[in-house]
Amino acid sequence: MTPDEKYLDLLKSDLQRSGRNDQDEYLQELIEAAKEEIKGYGVKYTDSSDYTSVLVSYASFLFRSRAEMNYDRTMPRHLDRRIKQMIWKQVRDDE
C-alpha cells in the first residue's frame, strides 16, 4: 500500500465513508491540498505516524469546513496545537 492509499483509507475512516468510492478523487485532492497547506506551515514530510495523523486530520478539517460552509476556515485549536508541536519536534530533531 502506498502512502497516498493509506492516507485515503484513513481519511475515509475518519469521515465514516469506508467502503464508498464515490468521492475518492475529491478526497485525494483534499489530501494533496492538505499536504501543501501543512507544508506552508513548516511541517516537513516524514514517514511517521505523527505526520500521517496531522495530514489526515487537516484533510478532514478541509472536508468538514466546506460541508459546514465554514469559509473562513478557522482551524480547530487541537489541530493548530498538533501542527505547532510537530514543527517544534522536527526543529529539535534537526539540531
Side-chain angles (χ1 to χ4, degrees):
M1 177 179 283
T2 68
D4 285 338
E5 291 170 336
K6 179 172 74 171
Y7 302 148
L8 181 60
D9 283 348
L10 290 169
L11 179 58
K12 287 167 71 171
S13 292
D14 184 76
L15 298 172
Q16 298 177 354
R17 294 183 172 277
S18 295
R20 294 180 56 183
N21 299 327
D22 58 327
Q23 291 189 319
D24 282 4
E25 188 175 330
Y26 174 65
L27 295 176
Q28 193 62 50
E29 289 299 319
L30 286 180
I31 291 168
E32 293 303 316
K35 285 179 186 178
E36 291 300 314
E37 290 191 32
I38 65 173
K39 182 180 175 183
Y41 286 116
V43 174
K44 299 175 195 165
Y45 170 79
T46 62
D47 186 23
S48 70
S49 58
D50 286 341
Y51 179 85
T52 299
S53 177
V54 166
L55 176 66
V56 170
S57 294
Y58 199 88
S60 177
F61 158 67
L62 293 176
F63 181 89
R64 289 187 172 109
S65 65
R66 182 171 182 259
E68 296 168 1
M69 299 176 129
N70 178 12
Y71 295 117
D72 67 349
R73 290 193 2 202
T74 305
M75 188 184 321
R77 287 185 358 188
H78 77 279
L79 183 54
D80 182 56
R81 193 173 356 198
R82 287 175 61 202
I83 289 172
K84 288 177 182 172
Q85 287 172 344
M86 188 167 190
I87 293 167
W88 280 110
K89 182 178 183 222
Q90 289 179 343
V91 167
R92 190 177 63 237
D93 290 348
D94 286 347
E95 293 177 348

